[in-house]
Amino acid sequence: NLVNGYDLSIRTLARVAALKAALPEQVIVMLSNHELAQRNDEGILLNSPDTSVGGAGSSQRNLISANGKEGIKVDNDGAGAVLRNNYIGTDVSGSLAFPNNNAGVSVRAAGAIIGGSDPADGNLISGNGKEGVKLDADDCVVQGNRIGTDASGLSDLGNGADGLRINGSSNLVGGTAVGAGNVIAHSGKNGVNVRNGSLDNSILRNSIHSNTEMGIDLADDGVTLNDAQDADAGANQLQNFPTLTR
C-alpha cells in the first residue's frame, strides 16, 4: 500500500496518479491537500479469511484515511481478520483528523481481532465521519485501541457517531489482561452502543469518557431503568447498571 501525508511536487503527483490508475486496489493515497486527495470507496476491503492489516512497529503501520466510505471494511467472507497498529482517520502524526466518510472500521464477518493487549497492537481509530468501529458480527475482540483520541490518548479527535457500535453477540471489548482496555472518548453519540438482538457481549476495563450521549447504551434508547432481579430482556439482556451508595 502507498499512503502519503506529505506535500508532493507536480511530477510526483503525476507518478502517484499513474500508479493509482494501474493498481487501484493496491494503492491508497491520502494527501495533505484535501483538493488533491484520492478518495476511494473503502480504503481497504477484506473479503478473504484470515487476513492481517498492520503489525508491530511503525514500519508495519498503515495510514488509512480520507476515503469516501469506510477506512477498513471486513466483508462477509473476511472471517478471522486481524487489524493491528494502524492509524485510521488521522494524519501520519495521529494528531489531526483526515476522516473516512463512514466508519473507521466496519466488520461483517465473525472472529475479527482489532488491536490487542500488547501496547504495539492497538489501533488509533479517530476523526471518522460516522462510527469509529462498527461490528455487525459475532465473536470479535476489540482491545487496546484509542478510539476518538489523538495518538497520545489524551486529546479530542472524536468520531462523528458512536465510538463502537455492536450489532452482534459474544464479542469482547477490553478484557482483564493488562493493556486490554480501550480508550473510547469524544464520540458524537455514545461511547459504546449495543443494539437490540445483541447478546453476551463483554465490555471490560475500558476507559469510556467525554462522549456526547451515554458511555454505554443498551438498545440505543437512552437510560434503561434498572428492574428487580434484572429479569428483563433485550440488548445484552438489558443488564442493570451499578448503583453507588455511601
Side-chain angles (χ1 to χ4, degrees):
N1 299 318
L2 173 65
V3 184
N4 197 301
Y6 300 94
D7 291 321
L8 300 178
S9 68
I10 295 299
R11 179 177 295 178
T12 303
L13 282 172
R15 290 175 179 171
V16 170
L19 185 59
K20 176 65 183 175
L23 299 169
E25 299 301 321
Q26 286 73 42
V27 179
I28 301 164
V29 183
M30 192 276 288
L31 302 176
S32 58
N33 182 338
H34 282 271
E35 293 181 358
L36 296 175
Q38 171 65 52
R39 285 195 172 271
N40 306 299
D41 285 337
E42 299 85 11
I44 296 178
L45 174 62
L46 302 181
N47 52 19
S48 298
D50 303 319
T51 303
S52 294
V53 178
S58 59
S59 64
Q60 298 186 54
R61 176 185 300 146
N62 296 290
L63 178 63
I64 306 165
S65 299
N67 293 289
K69 292 185 179 178
E70 293 81 7
I72 300 177
K73 181 177 180 180
V74 182
D75 221 341
N76 297 325
D77 295 325
V82 178
L83 315 178
R84 288 184 172 143
N85 190 34
N86 301 289
Y87 280 15
I88 304 169
T90 74
D91 71 342
V92 69
S93 72
S95 62
L96 298 173
F98 276 77
N100 298 293
N101 275 358
N102 292 348
V105 176
S106 175
V107 178
R108 296 183 178 181
I113 298 174
I114 303 172
S117 59
D118 189 300
D121 289 342
N123 301 282
L124 177 63
I125 308 172
S126 299
N128 296 287
K130 294 186 179 178
E131 297 85 358
V133 178
K134 184 168 69 169
L135 289 183
D136 293 301
D138 303 331
D139 302 310
C140 296
V141 176
V142 182
Q143 292 183 329
N145 303 288
R146 289 149 293 168
I147 301 174
T149 73
D150 68 350
S152 73
L154 300 175
S155 296
D156 179 353
L157 208 62
N159 296 288
D162 299 315
L164 169 61
R165 194 193 81 170
I166 300 174
N167 188 23
S169 298
S170 302
N171 296 292
L172 173 61
V173 180
T176 58
V178 175
N182 303 279
V183 177
I184 305 174
H186 308 295
S187 306
K189 293 186 68 179
N190 303 290
V192 180
N193 180 355
V194 183
R195 305 296 295 273
N196 271 324
S198 303
L199 302 173
D200 302 321
N201 295 288
S202 297
I203 304 169
L204 305 173
R205 295 191 178 183
N206 303 284
S207 176
I208 305 173
H209 65 87
S210 306
N211 296 288
T212 301
E213 297 182 8
M214 300 187 66
I216 300 173
D217 190 358
L218 304 182
D220 197 20
D221 59 358
V223 176
T224 302
L225 298 178
N226 287 346
D227 62 307
Q229 306 302 315
D230 204 6
D232 51 2
N236 255 26
Q237 295 85 25
L238 294 181
Q239 179 179 345
N240 284 351
F241 56 81
T243 301
L244 304 179
T245 59
R246 297 181 64 181

